[in-house]
Amino acid sequence: MTAVLEPVAPLLGSTTPRLGTPPLVDGPPGPCGCGCALTPASSLGFEAEAFAIQVLSIALLPWQRHWLIHALELRPDGGYRFRTVLTLVGRQNGKALDVDTPMLTTAGWSTMGALREGDEVYHPDGHPTRVVGAYDTMHGHGCYRVTTTDGRSIVADADHLWTVQDVRRRTSTGPRGAAVRGRTWETLTTTQLVARGVTRGERECAYRLPVQHAVTSKPADLPIDPYLLGAWLGDGASTSAQLTVGDQDLVETIEHVEATGARIVSRRRYRTAWAVGFSLTAVQRREGFGTRARALGVWGDKHIPDAYLTAGTEQRLALLQGLMDTDGSISVAGQAEFCATRRVLAEGVLYLARSLGWRATMRESAATLGWREVGRRWRVCFTPEQGEAVPFRLRRKVARVKAPSSRGGERHAVSIAAIEPVESRPVRCIKVDREDGLFLAGRDLMPTHNTTLCKVLALWAMYLGHARMVLGAAQSLDIAREAWAGAVELAEDVPDLADEIAPNGIRRANGEQCLTLSSGARYRIAAATRGAGRGLSVDLLVLDELREQRNTDAWAALSKTTMARPRALIVGISNAGDDESVVLNALRSAALAGADDTIGLFEWSAPDGCELDDMYAVAQACPGLGRTITESAVRSALATDTPAVFR
């Protein structure tokens, strides 16, 4: 008889902290709402938990429920038991992309794995945005290939965040209960997208992504005028300075070529077309078109060099115009098309069109001569409109560009067509200096997202009347701004919360970010400096990344903002500190020594002296183990990180 093996349950992270302040228990011990054995005498955490689940639709992990219930305990007189709640927990998840993902920066092409803080990538609005956080590479994560309706694709991990509109949710409620026809923007993980379903019905895609606008970049110093290079790449001889031009376009093409500074040196009739030779004025004999084309690597190998793909906005448009005037077309219906028998050239045109804000697609088909297939061809299609940049200079083609449609920017929106699991690979996440956390990733310029979360606590305190003033602070203002922006996004997207935002109650100006409710409750942010919070009287102070605070003067200034409030709470959240984490270390030491009973400690950590590969010790430090972190991911990190970094 063959034994039936029971499946081995995954090792789960600890719900309760390894080190913590015991709860005040009213009567005999009993089961708590978070699953632990002790129920506090009184806590607002039950209310906060219900707010997160029922109002914000955020599913809490067991350890998060435990923290809310026990950190928000009340004294018999109704005040918070703790004045300061210190929370130490390992990093729980990453919203990450494949490290090999190409990333367009203001300095040219890079990769996700090579980005550093201070680099500038691009936001979907087309403008640069600074990388303010570049985090460690992670291994063992579940990964998916996400593909859009126009053929873009990217590999992201299961917890990567996507900002989408779900077309299945067409009607929302606006301020003061008015019905508004439209769709709400949501931020969902890859796993959540899969669970909800990628399609509506059999064919219609469910998730629309933010519109990607034209990438705005500064002009580059280019050796060949971009229009001239585009015309030559489209209909030029691969090893001579010569263009093939049809009868109807001869005069106008010569005008456009001469406008680039080139000189026409010959015209030779060939059936219904002309071979037009040109030259560039050279300071020295060897600086002509051929020499420059060889230096670019395109002589005898037609493709668009990276220097031109990342050039200035107007230069990229001129390059595309040269390509489309020669080897492009536009139908009576207004659809522009570029056709090439070299895939690399078609891919360059596809990128140019997308970088200029058009929703472009590429299709492969057979290239035929008569009825015989002689190779493959690639067609790039997109639909321009008047009022936008026009991808042609020839008047007969410009005349076919249609007038603007009533759909506006929706014409250029793309949707998610498929999400398919792929083999796990190293992934990494970054944080950008934008309130919405969005950036463009990949050669396909896909809009994607990253953010952190301290917003549940802030919104609960504001909306249920426990706090008139919430202050979010961090060593970097960018970190505080990110949490604030996430809270504002949630408040706007939940109809019941949006109704309570005061008229003009959202101020987004840099340094003045503030969310104000009609009740007068406010949520502001500040950097952790010695002057932080000056003049403010704060009910809830949320300090993110407490490990980075090296300045005791900043802590003194921030903590003083709560002194005038009888029911104030300071919440410090961080992962493990180091020798320079003076504020974190002082608070932790005081809590462990019992020197100040107003400090509550909640620390998920491994026991001192444990072996690094002891997964039971890891489970005490990582409450998300088996839920948002896999054991294989931990073992992969153990194999690749230095012992000091892993510990």
Side-chain angles (χ1 to χ4, degrees):
M1 179 180 294
T2 303
V4 177
L5 299 178
E6 293 293 331
V8 178
L11 180 63
L12 297 179
S14 175
T15 296
T16 58
R18 186 179 70 86
L19 299 174
T21 308
L24 292 174
V25 180
D26 184 16
C32 180
C34 66
C36 71
L38 299 176
T39 301
S42 181
S43 173
L44 289 176
F46 297 106
E47 179 186 272
E49 178 193 11
F51 179 82
I53 296 172
Q54 298 172 14
V55 179
L56 302 181
S57 299
I58 293 177
L60 298 175
L61 294 174
W63 75 271
Q64 294 168 324
R65 298 176 64 202
H66 176 95
W67 184 88
L68 280 174
I69 290 168
H70 294 283
L72 301 180
E73 279 191 62
L74 299 177
R75 300 190 308 265
D77 64 3
Y80 284 118
R81 177 188 177 190
F82 304 117
R83 188 80 178 180
T84 302
V85 176
L86 183 60
T87 308
L88 298 176
V89 63
R91 293 187 179 97
Q92 292 307 298
N93 50 36
K95 290 77 177 175
L97 299 176
D98 183 349
V99 295
D100 292 329
T101 302
M103 299 293 296
L104 180 64
T105 75
T106 53
W109 285 104
S110 183
T111 64
M112 192 69 174
L115 290 176
R116 298 292 180 266
E117 290 186 16
D119 289 345
E120 289 188 316
V121 294
Y122 283 89
H123 187 272
D125 68 8
H127 297 285
T129 180
R130 187 164 56 90
V131 176
V132 296
Y135 303 110
D136 296 338
T137 298
M138 297 171 287
H139 303 265
H141 286 210
C143 291
Y144 293 83
R145 180 172 298 281
V146 180
T147 304
T148 65
T149 48
D150 64 345
R152 310 181 198 212
S153 71
I154 202 167
V155 173
D157 79 347
D159 293 319
H160 186 77
L161 295 177
W162 300 88
T163 295
V164 297
Q165 284 182 333
D166 190 334
V167 300
R168 296 165 294 196
R169 302 183 176 190
R170 290 184 178 274
T171 304
S172 60
T173 303
R176 290 166 293 282
V180 176
R181 192 71 174 171
R183 303 185 184 107
T184 298
W185 287 103
E186 301 177 84
T187 299
L188 303 171
T189 66
T190 312
T191 302
Q192 288 173 319
L193 294 178
V194 172
R196 190 183 288 183
V198 179
T199 60
R200 182 177 71 168
E202 294 183 0
R203 296 184 179 181
E204 186 174 359
C205 298
Y207 303 113
R208 172 185 164 187
L209 291 169
V211 173
Q212 177 244 308
H213 297 271
V215 171
T216 58
S217 50
K218 297 179 181 179
D221 184 13
L222 302 175
I224 299 173
D225 179 90
Y227 181 86
L228 180 62
L229 179 64
W232 179 79
L233 290 173
D235 261 344
S238 63
T239 56
S240 65
Q242 179 178 291
L243 300 176
T244 300
V245 185
D247 280 339
Q248 61 181 334
D249 298 324
L250 178 65
V251 174
E252 195 177 354
T253 297
I254 288 175
E255 291 175 356
H256 292 316
V257 168
E258 290 180 332
T260 69
R263 183 168 60 90
I264 303 301
V265 296
S266 65
R267 302 182 206 178
R268 183 166 56 87
R269 182 67 179 264
Y270 179 73
R271 295 181 181 174
T272 59
W274 292 79
V276 178
F278 63 90
S279 68
L280 296 179
T281 302
V283 177
Q284 298 179 10
R285 185 175 180 180
R286 300 192 177 196
E287 291 181 349
F289 180 85
T291 300
R292 301 183 198 189
R294 289 185 182 91
L296 287 171
V298 298
W299 194 256
D301 181 17
K302 284 188 178 183
H303 66 278
I304 302 174
D306 273 355
Y308 283 75
L309 291 175
T310 59
T313 311
E314 294 301 320
Q315 291 173 317
R316 296 197 316 277
L317 176 60
L319 176 64
L320 183 61
Q321 288 171 334
L323 286 154
M324 297 299 292
D325 275 358
T326 52
D327 221 13
S329 62
I330 182 168
S331 68
V332 175
Q335 184 182 64
E337 178 180 314
F338 179 86
C339 187
T341 56
R342 290 179 57 84
R343 182 183 185 118
V344 65
L345 185 57
E347 288 176 336
V349 173
L350 178 69
Y351 171 80
L352 285 175
R354 288 174 173 169
S355 79
L356 292 164
W358 285 297
R359 181 175 61 184
T361 61
M362 187 173 76
R363 298 287 184 269
E364 180 182 355
S365 60
T368 59
L369 182 61
W371 296 102
R372 183 170 57 92
E373 181 175 340
V374 294
R376 307 300 292 174
R377 66 173 182 168
W378 289 266
R379 300 165 57 234
V380 177
C381 299
F382 57 100
T383 305
E385 287 186 351
Q386 295 175 17
E388 305 172 333
V390 175
F392 304 101
R393 290 187 184 178
L394 290 178
R395 287 186 291 272
R396 68 178 179 86
K397 296 184 178 182
V398 172
R400 286 190 169 181
V401 176
K402 296 297 183 182
S405 68
S406 59
R407 294 178 60 195
E410 287 192 9
R411 296 180 312 101
H412 301 313
V414 298
S415 298
I416 293 177
I419 303 178
E420 302 166 305
V422 296
E423 184 178 351
S424 181
R425 59 201 66 189
V427 293
R428 188 182 189 222
C429 57
I430 62 170
K431 179 169 59 180
V432 297
D433 187 18
R434 284 299 185 97
E435 292 178 356
D436 58 14
L438 291 167
F439 57 90
L440 298 177
R443 285 267 180 174
D444 293 328
L445 301 178
M446 279 184 65
T448 185
H449 187 284
N450 217 345
T451 189
T452 56
L453 187 65
C454 283
K455 54 196 175 188
V456 171
L457 195 62
L459 291 178
W460 162 76
M462 290 180 70
Y463 276 91
L464 295 190
H466 303 297
R468 299 283 294 175
M469 172 63 74
V470 175
L471 182 65
Q475 189 67 20
S476 164
L477 187 61
D478 295 321
I479 295 174
R481 182 188 297 116
E482 185 178 23
W484 178 89
V488 170
E489 180 182 344
L490 256 185
E492 289 181 298
D493 285 349
V494 178
D496 289 343
L497 302 187
D499 288 349
E500 297 186 39
I501 298 175
N504 302 315
I506 301 175
R507 294 168 57 187
R508 290 186 166 90
N510 195 30
E512 299 180 3
Q513 287 91 345
C514 185
L515 170 64
T516 304
L517 305 185
S518 54
S519 66
R522 291 184 293 163
Y523 177 14
R524 298 184 59 178
I525 63 173
T529 65
R530 62 187 304 171
R534 182 172 297 171
L536 295 180
S537 189
V538 175
D539 297 288
L540 174 63
L541 173 62
V542 181
L543 291 167
D544 200 3
E545 296 291 349
L546 193 59
R547 73 184 305 276
E548 300 298 333
Q549 291 197 24
R550 321 295 195 190
N551 188 337
T552 55
D553 289 342
W555 163 256
L558 285 166
S559 60
K560 294 295 189 300
T561 63
T562 64
M563 291 185 67
R565 297 291 194 181
R567 198 186 194 187
L569 185 65
I570 301 173
V571 175
I573 302 175
S574 183
N575 58 322
D578 54 31
D579 291 341
E580 297 182 10
S581 304
V582 291
V583 174
L584 173 61
N585 294 339
L587 290 171
R588 181 177 182 273
S589 296
L592 289 173
D596 186 347
D597 62 5
T598 67
I599 301 176
L601 176 64
F602 298 83
E603 179 180 305
W604 283 264
S605 62
D608 293 338
C610 69
E611 296 295 329
L612 292 185
D613 61 353
D614 182 349
M615 288 299 113
Y616 290 94
V618 170
Q620 296 178 67
C622 297
L625 185 67
R627 298 181 176 95
T628 61
I629 298 177
T630 63
E631 187 174 332
S632 63
V634 175
R635 293 193 182 280
S636 179
L638 178 61
T640 56
D641 291 347
T642 64
V645 168
F646 184 87
R647 188 177 295 280

